Amino acid sequence: MTDTQQTTKQPPLVLLHGLGQDAASWKPVIRHLPPDTELAAPELKEYLENSAHYEQLVFGLEQALSRVEQPADLAGLSLGGKRR
């Protein structure tokens, strides 16, 4: 590396599972990511409860994100996606 080159650290990637799913939903995707990818795939228990209201969903998401270094990239799945 020369004096003018700098390595840039990529922000962590937060993988948000969908309603009625859990973090294991991301296993097929994770195996294709570069091995040095910093990942967080929180279990959002509020998303597993069919009777959860949006306020509870947002609260669960806020709690999960508060434990991740910021800024972070978010990826989510659900609400209309079809799993094969």
Side-chain angles (χ1 to χ4, degrees), residues 11-74:
L13 176 59
V14 180
L15 303 174
L16 303 173
H17 64 77
L19 298 172
Q21 300 174 342
D22 59 22
S25 302
W26 286 102
K27 284 184 180 181
V29 173
I30 291 171
R31 67 175 171 235
H32 295 286
L33 295 173
D36 61 342
T37 303
E38 184 181 341
L39 291 174
E43 289 290 347
L44 300 169
K45 65 181 175 97
E46 295 82 4
Y47 285 34
L48 295 172
E49 301 169 5
N50 291 332
S51 61
H53 297 282
Y54 282 110
E55 293 83 10
Q56 293 167 301
L57 300 176
V58 170
F59 176 77
L61 178 58
E62 288 174 339
Q63 292 298 306
L65 292 178
S66 72
R67 297 184 293 271
V68 176
E69 182 182 338
Q70 301 295 322
D73 291 329
L74 299 177

